[in-house]
PDB file of all heavy atoms in Angstrom:
ATOM      1  N   GLN A 603      26.083  74.496 -41.353  1.00 91.00           N
ATOM      2  CA  GLN A 603      27.444  74.576 -40.824  1.00 91.00           C
ATOM      3  C   GLN A 603      27.934  76.019 -40.779  1.00 91.00           C
ATOM      4  O   GLN A 603      28.622  76.418 -39.834  1.00 91.00           O
ATOM      5  CB  GLN A 603      28.399  73.723 -41.659  1.00 91.00           C
ATOM      6  CG  GLN A 603      29.740  73.474 -40.985  1.00 91.00           C
ATOM      7  CD  GLN A 603      29.587  72.756 -39.654  1.00 91.00           C
ATOM      8  OE1 GLN A 603      28.976  71.689 -39.578  1.00 91.00           O
ATOM      9  NE2 GLN A 603      30.109  73.349 -38.587  1.00 91.00           N
ATOM     10  N   LYS A 604      27.565  76.813 -41.777  1.00 91.00           N
ATOM     11  CA  LYS A 604      27.923  78.237 -41.767  1.00 91.00           C
ATOM     12  C   LYS A 604      27.319  78.932 -40.556  1.00 91.00           C
ATOM     13  O   LYS A 604      27.964  79.752 -39.895  1.00 91.00           O
ATOM     14  CB  LYS A 604      27.424  78.918 -43.048  1.00 91.00           C
ATOM     15  CG  LYS A 604      28.228  78.603 -44.301  1.00 91.00           C
ATOM     16  CD  LYS A 604      27.563  79.178 -45.540  1.00 91.00           C
ATOM     17  CE  LYS A 604      27.328  80.684 -45.432  1.00 91.00           C
ATOM     18  NZ  LYS A 604      26.662  81.209 -46.652  1.00 91.00           N
ATOM     19  N   ILE A 605      26.064  78.584 -40.269  1.00 93.00           N
ATOM     20  CA  ILE A 605      25.378  79.167 -39.113  1.00 93.00           C
ATOM     21  C   ILE A 605      26.086  78.773 -37.819  1.00 93.00           C
ATOM     22  O   ILE A 605      26.351  79.620 -36.954  1.00 93.00           O
ATOM     23  CB  ILE A 605      23.903  78.718 -39.086  1.00 93.00           C
ATOM     24  CG1 ILE A 605      23.136  79.352 -40.250  1.00 93.00           C
ATOM     25  CG2 ILE A 605      23.244  79.061 -37.759  1.00 93.00           C
ATOM     26  CD1 ILE A 605      21.756  78.767 -40.477  1.00 93.00           C
ATOM     27  N   ALA A 606      26.389  77.490 -37.694  1.00 93.00           N
ATOM     28  CA  ALA A 606      27.059  76.996 -36.482  1.00 93.00           C
ATOM     29  C   ALA A 606      28.404  77.689 -36.285  1.00 93.00           C
ATOM     30  O   ALA A 606      28.752  78.105 -35.167  1.00 93.00           O
ATOM     31  CB  ALA A 606      27.238  75.486 -36.567  1.00 93.00           C
ATOM     32  N   ASP A 607      29.170  77.825 -37.360  1.00 92.00           N
ATOM     33  CA  ASP A 607      30.493  78.450 -37.258  1.00 92.00           C
ATOM     34  C   ASP A 607      30.389  79.933 -36.907  1.00 92.00           C
ATOM     35  O   ASP A 607      31.211  80.465 -36.154  1.00 92.00           O
ATOM     36  CB  ASP A 607      31.261  78.260 -38.571  1.00 92.00           C
ATOM     37  CG  ASP A 607      31.606  76.804 -38.848  1.00 92.00           C
ATOM     38  OD1 ASP A 607      31.553  75.984 -37.900  1.00 92.00           O
ATOM     39  OD2 ASP A 607      31.904  76.476 -40.017  1.00 92.00           O
ATOM     40  N   ALA A 608      29.358  80.592 -37.446  1.00 91.00           N
ATOM     41  CA  ALA A 608      29.166  82.014 -37.141  1.00 91.00           C
ATOM     42  C   ALA A 608      28.844  82.222 -35.659  1.00 91.00           C
ATOM     43  O   ALA A 608      29.386  83.126 -35.010  1.00 91.00           O
ATOM     44  CB  ALA A 608      28.046  82.592 -38.011  1.00 91.00           C
ATOM     45  N   PHE A 609      27.995  81.383 -35.109  1.00 91.00           N
ATOM     46  CA  PHE A 609      27.651  81.497 -33.689  1.00 91.00           C
ATOM     47  C   PHE A 609      28.842  81.148 -32.801  1.00 91.00           C
ATOM     48  O   PHE A 609      29.029  81.738 -31.745  1.00 91.00           O
ATOM     49  CB  PHE A 609      26.456  80.606 -33.360  1.00 91.00           C
ATOM     50  CG  PHE A 609      25.126  81.185 -33.766  1.00 91.00           C
ATOM     51  CD1 PHE A 609      24.260  80.478 -34.587  1.00 91.00           C
ATOM     52  CD2 PHE A 609      24.727  82.437 -33.328  1.00 91.00           C
ATOM     53  CE1 PHE A 609      23.029  81.000 -34.961  1.00 91.00           C
ATOM     54  CE2 PHE A 609      23.505  82.983 -33.693  1.00 91.00           C
ATOM     55  CZ  PHE A 609      22.659  82.266 -34.515  1.00 91.00           C
ATOM     56  N   LEU A 610      29.636  80.185 -33.248  1.00 92.00           N
ATOM     57  CA  LEU A 610      30.830  79.816 -32.486  1.00 92.00           C
ATOM     58  C   LEU A 610      31.825  80.973 -32.460  1.00 92.00           C
ATOM     59  O   LEU A 610      32.402  81.290 -31.409  1.00 92.00           O
ATOM     60  CB  LEU A 610      31.480  78.572 -33.095  1.00 92.00           C
ATOM     61  CG  LEU A 610      32.699  78.027 -32.348  1.00 92.00           C
ATOM     62  CD1 LEU A 610      32.293  77.459 -30.986  1.00 92.00           C
ATOM     63  CD2 LEU A 610      33.402  76.932 -33.180  1.00 92.00           C
ATOM     64  N   THR A 611      32.007  81.622 -33.580  1.00 89.00           N
ATOM     65  CA  THR A 611      32.925  82.760 -33.671  1.00 89.00           C
ATOM     66  C   THR A 611      32.504  83.885 -32.737  1.00 89.00           C
ATOM     67  O   THR A 611      33.349  84.569 -32.130  1.00 89.00           O
ATOM     68  CB  THR A 611      32.990  83.286 -35.126  1.00 89.00           C
ATOM     69  OG1 THR A 611      33.455  82.245 -35.972  1.00 89.00           O
ATOM     70  CG2 THR A 611      33.906  84.484 -35.237  1.00 89.00           C
ATOM     71  N   GLU A 612      31.199  84.083 -32.594  1.00 86.00           N
ATOM     72  CA  GLU A 612      30.679  85.145 -31.718  1.00 86.00           C
ATOM     73  C   GLU A 612      30.688  84.726 -30.246  1.00 86.00           C
ATOM     74  O   GLU A 612      30.289  85.497 -29.379  1.00 86.00           O
ATOM     75  CB  GLU A 612      29.255  85.510 -32.131  1.00 86.00           C
ATOM     76  CG  GLU A 612      29.165  86.272 -33.440  1.00 86.00           C
ATOM     77  CD  GLU A 612      29.717  87.686 -33.344  1.00 86.00           C
ATOM     78  OE1 GLU A 612      29.770  88.238 -32.228  1.00 86.00           O
ATOM     79  OE2 GLU A 612      30.103  88.235 -34.405  1.00 86.00           O
ATOM     80  N   GLY A 613      31.123  83.476 -29.978  1.00 87.00           N
ATOM     81  CA  GLY A 613      31.154  83.005 -28.601  1.00 87.00           C
ATOM     82  C   GLY A 613      29.789  82.649 -28.055  1.00 87.00           C
ATOM     83  O   GLY A 613      29.581  82.598 -26.841  1.00 87.00           O
ATOM     84  N   LEU A 614      28.846  82.364 -28.952  1.00 87.00           N
ATOM     85  CA  LEU A 614      27.468  82.067 -28.540  1.00 87.00           C
ATOM     86  C   LEU A 614      27.196  80.574 -28.415  1.00 87.00           C
ATOM     87  O   LEU A 614      26.146  80.179 -27.913  1.00 87.00           O
ATOM     88  CB  LEU A 614      26.488  82.699 -29.530  1.00 87.00           C
ATOM     89  CG  LEU A 614      26.569  84.232 -29.612  1.00 87.00           C
ATOM     90  CD1 LEU A 614      25.764  84.744 -30.798  1.00 87.00           C
ATOM     91  CD2 LEU A 614      26.077  84.860 -28.314  1.00 87.00           C
ATOM     92  N   LEU A 615      28.130  79.746 -28.906  1.00 89.00           N
ATOM     93  CA  LEU A 615      28.018  78.302 -28.737  1.00 89.00           C
ATOM     94  C   LEU A 615      29.151  77.825 -27.828  1.00 89.00           C
ATOM     95  O   LEU A 615      30.275  78.323 -27.928  1.00 89.00           O
ATOM     96  CB  LEU A 615      28.120  77.581 -30.082  1.00 89.00           C
ATOM     97  CG  LEU A 615      26.938  77.662 -31.040  1.00 89.00           C
ATOM     98  CD1 LEU A 615      27.219  76.829 -32.284  1.00 89.00           C
ATOM     99  CD2 LEU A 615      25.654  77.189 -30.394  1.00 89.00           C
TER     100      LEU A 615
END
Side-chain angles (χ1 to χ4, degrees):
Q603 194 60 54
K604 285 173 56 181
I605 291 169
D607 294 343
F609 281 125
L610 183 68
T611 300
E612 288 290 337
L614 298 169
L615 287 183

